[in-house]
């Protein structure tokens, strides 16, 4: 069983009933004939929420995103999207991975336009949307460049634009900024918060960096304790939607959240059986 | 011109070490050509070689065997003027081109089909490898038996050589396509059709162009060898005929023609590849 010690760093926000976009019930998943990587996982992502999955490397965070994207099936339990089991590739999500999945032979503008083109959106609409998103993510001047000509930060922003342009119901992000330097990462945190806030985008964000999780998310689920792992702890981060990720670490109470996340993360590294001994 | 028989991997300069964000435009350097020191040295080498050839011929070595520049170039020039060179060169080019089209087209299709299926690929792998390493020129006598010594022979030889180069690279190109790239396109709403035409084929094209850079010169080599073995026209025929009659002027003039052809084709392929893979040329190789 999962030791889902429900902790809240401060008093939980008034929770109005919201639509559940993504949900797993008693989900277990594994590969080949090896034992389960995750077991008995129950988690929910509500519409408009920014949820971070925090956990040590190899604990199964990416696996959860692959389940949500329909690229993987659970061994047991249910994985639901909009209340229905996911059966094929889930085209209602945007998926931004750590790898660079820009098509190198397409310019930035053509890459960002790709989802809309494949969805047969009228040409004129595509053009409007592309320029809107490029402008929003400060990429207008890079529209005609090929990915190889971009800096790491610009490539990340182009990927973000491409995964958001078709307004997916859920945006999956797998350590999207891990390869960037600290300053660039901070800039992108601000860009992401701004983009997410103005579009009311629902996000499921994977990271192993607790400060990144605390700075971005409304709610943090700590994954680990395996194998098989599960949700070890859950935190509600209270700073609201209009926060500034750059100054948030200096706010009152942030240090305490960091400390609690740190403790939970330490616990997540220890296999459950050992903990019980 | 690099003529190797191994599969040419496209230089996978990882795109991670990117050019600075300020890089304004794709680098289309139209810088004017101006002579440099190494051009001068190259010229000197040519002059020295030709001079020592000219001076030693008839003195140190029998000029019946080596001819001499002062006889080779007039012979070459007389072919240019009479149209003989154009006749033979165009025959060689035409056959090489047809072989390239047939072999390349077929190689592309078969490579795509086999590259799609893990199982088919596993079945075919040993056969492919065996055929790949076999020298295709050894098939020419068989081809003569099948199609005679006309133009068909030369086209078939070129096609056989090109087929394996293009097929092999397409096959591995398709299999090399990043699964992440494919998945990301499927999640964005891409169909199987989208995946093939927007991801698989463009990905494989890098490899196909790498193959073509080898295949085009190899097609010409195939045709020339076929011409030398059988037939009545082409640059290979010119070499073989003059050598057969101990006409060293003509032999060297024909070899000189092949030299020029090879050089020009290589330059042309560089140009074509660079144009087609513009997106890849972010200032990596000068
Ligand atoms: N395709 C796969 N085949 C086999 N094992 C896998 C595969 N993907 C992930 N795993 C295993 O599942 C575990 C969790 O992987 P992953 O979800 O990538 O972890 P995280 O993203 O948290 O670092 C790891 O132990 C990894 O070895
Ligand atoms: Mg991962």
């Amino acid at each position: 069983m999962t030791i889902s010690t429900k902790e809240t760093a401060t008093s939980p926000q008034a929770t109005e009933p919201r639509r559940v976009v993504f949900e797993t019930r008693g989900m277990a998943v594994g590969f080949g004939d090896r034992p389960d990587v995750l077991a008995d996982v129950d988690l929910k992502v509500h519409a408009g929420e920014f949820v971070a999955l925090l956990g040590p490397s190899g604990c199964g965070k990416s696996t959860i995103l692959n389940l949500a994207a329909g690229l993987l099936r659970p061994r047991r339990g249910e994985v639901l999207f909009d209340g229905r089991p996911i059966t094929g590739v889930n085209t209602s999500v945007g998926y931004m991975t750590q790898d660079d999945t820009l098509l190198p032979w397409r310019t930035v503008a053509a890459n960002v336009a790709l989802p809309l083109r494949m969805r047969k959106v009228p040409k004129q609409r595509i053009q409007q949307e592309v320029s809107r998103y490029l402008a929003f993510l400060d990429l207008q001047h890079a529209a005609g460049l090929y990915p190889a000509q971009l800096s790491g930060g610009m490539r990340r922003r182009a990927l973000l634009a491409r995964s958001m342009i078709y307004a997916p119901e859920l945006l999956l992000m797998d350590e999207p900024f891990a390869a960037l330097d600290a300053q660039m990462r901070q800039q992108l945190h601000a860009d992401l918060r701004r983009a997410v806030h103005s579009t009311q985008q629902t996000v499921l964000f994977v990271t192993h960096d607790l400060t990144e999780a605390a700075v971005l998310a409304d709610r943090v689920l700590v994954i680990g304790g395996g194998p098989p792992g599960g949700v070890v702890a859950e935190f509600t981060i209270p700073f609201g939607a209009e926060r500034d990720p750059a100054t948030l670490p200096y706010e009152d109470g942030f240090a305490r959240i960091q400390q609690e996340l740190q403790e939970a993360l330490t616990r997540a590294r220890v296999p459950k059986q050992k903990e019980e001994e | 011109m690099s003529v190797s028989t191994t599969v040419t991997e496209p230089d996978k300069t990882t795109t991670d070490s990117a050019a600075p964000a300020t890089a304004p435009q794709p680098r289309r350097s139209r810088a004017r050509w101006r002579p440099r020191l190494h051009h001068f040295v190259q010229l000197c080498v040519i002059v020295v070689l030709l001079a020592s050839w000219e001076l030693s011929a008839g003195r140190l070595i029998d000029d019946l065997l080596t001819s001499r520049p002062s006889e080779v170039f007039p012979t070459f020039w007389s072919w240019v003027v009479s149209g003989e060179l154009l006749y033979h060169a165009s025959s060689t080019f035409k056959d090489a081109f047809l072989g390239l089209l047939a072999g390349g087209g077929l190689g592309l299709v078969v490579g795509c089909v086999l590259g799609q299926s893990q199982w088919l690929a596993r079945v075919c792998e040993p056969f492919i490898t065996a055929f790949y390493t076999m020298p295709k020129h050894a098939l020419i006598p068989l081809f003569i038996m099948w199609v005679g010594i006309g133009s068909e022979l030369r086209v078939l030889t070129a096609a056989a050589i090109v087929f394996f180069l293009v097929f092999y690279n397409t096959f591995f190109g398709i299999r090399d396509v990043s699964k992440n790239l494919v998945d990301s396109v499927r999640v964005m709403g891409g169909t199987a059709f989208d995946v093939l035409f927007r991801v698989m084929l463009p990905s494989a094209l890098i490899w196909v162009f790498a193959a073509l850079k080898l295949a085009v010169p190899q097609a010409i080599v195939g045709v020339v060898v076929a011409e030398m073995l059988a037939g009545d026209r082409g640059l290979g025929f010119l070499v073989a005929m003059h050598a057969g009659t101990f006409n060293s002027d003509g032999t060297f003039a024909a070899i000189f023609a092949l030299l020029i052809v090879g050089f020009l084709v290589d330059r042309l392929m560089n140009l074509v590849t660079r144009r087609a893979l513009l997106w890849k040329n972010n200032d990596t190789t000068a």
Side-chain angles (χ1 to χ4, degrees):
Chain A
M1 272 304 296
T2 330
I3 357 155
S4 188
T5 44
K6 182 140 184 164
E7 300 168 58
T8 31
T10 50
S11 59
Q13 290 174 306
T15 44
E16 74 268 39
R18 278 182 298 177
R19 189 166 63 88
V20 176
V21 176
F22 175 63
E23 179 176 10
T24 69
R25 289 189 195 147
M27 179 271 286
V29 66
F31 298 91
D33 45 14
R34 274 171 287 175
D36 294 344
V37 171
L38 295 166
D40 293 317
V41 177
D42 298 296
L43 60 84
K44 279 183 187 171
V45 179
H46 301 92
E49 221 183 357
F50 194 127
V51 177
L53 300 177
L54 176 67
S57 177
C59 71
K61 304 181 297 294
S62 303
T63 302
I64 295 176
L65 294 196
N66 284 333
L67 284 164
L71 299 171
L72 193 66
R73 301 275 169 269
R75 274 183 178 162
R76 296 185 300 281
E78 286 181 296
V79 177
L80 307 174
F81 196 84
D82 274 340
R84 282 185 297 277
I86 298 173
T87 50
V89 172
N90 186 357
T91 56
S92 303
V93 299
Y95 197 172
M96 183 170 166
T97 54
Q98 190 175 347
D99 311 292
D100 191 344
T101 55
L102 290 172
L103 300 181
W105 46 86
R106 285 175 162 255
T107 61
V108 170
N111 260 292
V112 173
L114 185 60
L116 298 183
R117 294 202 58 173
M118 295 194 302
R119 281 152 200 266
K120 308 274 185 287
V121 173
K123 280 240 159 62
Q124 208 188 340
R125 259 295 303 292
I126 296 183
Q127 261 178 9
Q128 284 170 3
E129 289 295 289
V130 168
S131 17
R132 197 159 73 86
Y133 272 85
L134 289 185
F136 193 65
L137 287 165
D138 201 17
L139 283 167
Q140 312 96 309
H141 52 287
L145 297 186
Y146 290 98
Q149 296 169 310
L150 304 181
S151 69
M154 288 165 90
R155 255 180 265 165
R156 294 282 106 190
R157 270 181 272 157
L159 279 166
L160 184 60
R162 195 182 68 178
S163 3
M164 289 188 74
I165 194 166
Y166 54 106
E169 275 191 72
L170 173 64
L171 177 58
L172 306 170
M173 306 183 82
D174 193 350
E175 312 202 11
F177 310 132
L180 300 178
D181 62 64
Q183 205 181 344
M184 185 62 82
R185 186 156 55 227
Q186 210 171 56
Q187 177 62 48
L188 273 149
H189 286 164
D191 289 343
L192 175 62
R193 273 307 313 190
R194 199 162 44 86
V196 162
H197 183 59
S198 74
T199 56
Q200 294 298 304
Q201 179 69 58
T202 314
V203 184
L204 184 56
F205 188 102
V206 159
T207 180
H208 61 253
D209 177 343
L210 64 95
T211 306
E212 183 170 55
V215 147
L216 290 174
D218 304 320
R219 198 152 59 89
V220 178
L221 303 177
V222 180
I223 313 286
V231 181
V232 176
E234 180 174 346
F235 296 86
T236 302
I237 312 291
F239 297 100
E242 300 209 37
R243 60 173 98 169
D244 175 4
T247 57
L248 195 60
Y250 310 110
E251 300 270 336
D252 279 347
F254 191 82
R256 210 181 105 225
I257 293 173
Q258 268 183 313
Q259 196 187 342
E260 287 181 27
L261 285 173
Q262 181 64 64
E263 282 161 14
L265 204 50
T266 309
R267 244 181 300 138
R269 285 180 214 284
V270 185
K272 274 176 291 189
Q273 295 88 333
K274 283 204 183 132
E275 201 180 40
E276 281 155 14
E277 274 166 23
Chain B
M1 145 169 48
S2 62
V3 180
S4 90
T5 40
T6 50
V7 191
T8 39
E9 292 204 26
D11 53 317
K12 293 192 159 188
T13 38
T14 38
T15 48
D16 284 321
S17 56
T22 47
Q25 279 299 313
R27 185 185 52 95
R28 306 292 303 133
S29 62
R30 281 261 154 257
R32 243 162 37 82
W33 188 88
R34 52 200 171 81
R36 298 272 202 77
L37 179 64
H38 71 269
H39 293 125
F40 178 71
V41 175
Q42 285 165 345
L43 194 68
C44 287
V45 170
I46 294 174
V47 169
V48 168
L49 277 179
L50 288 180
S52 46
W53 181 7
E54 181 70 41
L55 292 177
S56 59
R59 278 172 250 250
L60 300 175
I61 24 177
D62 187 352
D63 63 352
L64 183 67
L65 299 179
T66 64
S67 186
R68 59 180 71 208
S70 60
E71 309 216 342
V72 170
F73 288 105
T75 308
F76 183 81
W77 186 244
S78 76
W79 292 350
V80 173
V81 174
S82 70
E84 199 177 343
L85 184 72
L86 186 67
Y87 170 77
H88 289 289
S90 61
S91 165
T92 301
F93 273 122
K94 190 198 81 202
D95 292 338
F97 183 70
L98 291 179
L100 190 71
L101 277 190
L106 200 64
L108 199 65
V109 171
V110 177
C112 275
V113 171
L114 287 195
Q116 294 277 329
S117 156
Q118 293 284 335
W119 185 80
L120 261 184
R122 197 171 313 146
V123 172
C124 299
E125 192 112 37
F127 303 109
I128 294 166
T129 314
F131 272 106
Y132 187 77
T133 45
M134 187 195 69
K136 259 65 72 184
H137 300 106
L139 295 175
I140 294 177
L142 184 70
F143 291 162
I144 293 178
M145 225 166 71
W146 288 350
V147 299
I149 59 169
S151 161
E152 295 88 347
L153 169 69
R154 303 186 290 266
V155 174
L156 188 60
T157 308
I161 292 167
V162 171
F163 170 80
F164 278 100
L165 279 171
V166 171
F167 160 73
Y168 214 63
N169 273 27
T170 311
F171 177 70
F172 282 103
I174 290 269
R175 307 203 57 198
D176 182 60
V177 172
S178 144
K179 187 172 178 305
N180 283 327
L181 225 52
V182 172
D183 282 345
S184 75
V185 168
R186 289 203 304 158
V187 170
M188 277 184 265
T191 58
F193 183 86
D194 287 320
V195 168
L196 180 63
F197 284 95
R198 296 185 198 271
V199 186
M200 296 277 198
L201 279 179
S203 270
L205 270 194
I206 310 169
W207 292 70
V208 172
F209 272 104
L212 282 183
K213 210 163 169 302
L214 283 189
V216 172
Q218 285 294 315
I220 292 176
V221 171
V223 170
V224 167
V225 172
E227 286 165 349
M228 293 193 333
L229 291 179
D232 59 354
R233 69 194 67 180
L235 294 174
F237 166 76
L238 268 188
V239 175
M241 179 189 71
H242 290 295
T245 55
F246 269 82
N247 176 351
S248 56
D249 306 346
T251 311
F252 274 103
I255 290 174
F256 181 63
L258 283 174
L259 210 75
I260 293 177
V261 165
F263 183 75
L264 290 182
V265 164
D266 189 60
R267 282 298 144 103
L268 183 73
M269 281 318 292
N270 271 334
L271 217 71
V272 171
T273 321
R274 196 170 318 159
R275 190 81 199 89
L277 301 181
L278 190 61
W279 54 268
K280 214 166 156 284
N281 298 324
N282 57 317
D283 226 343
T284 44
T285 46

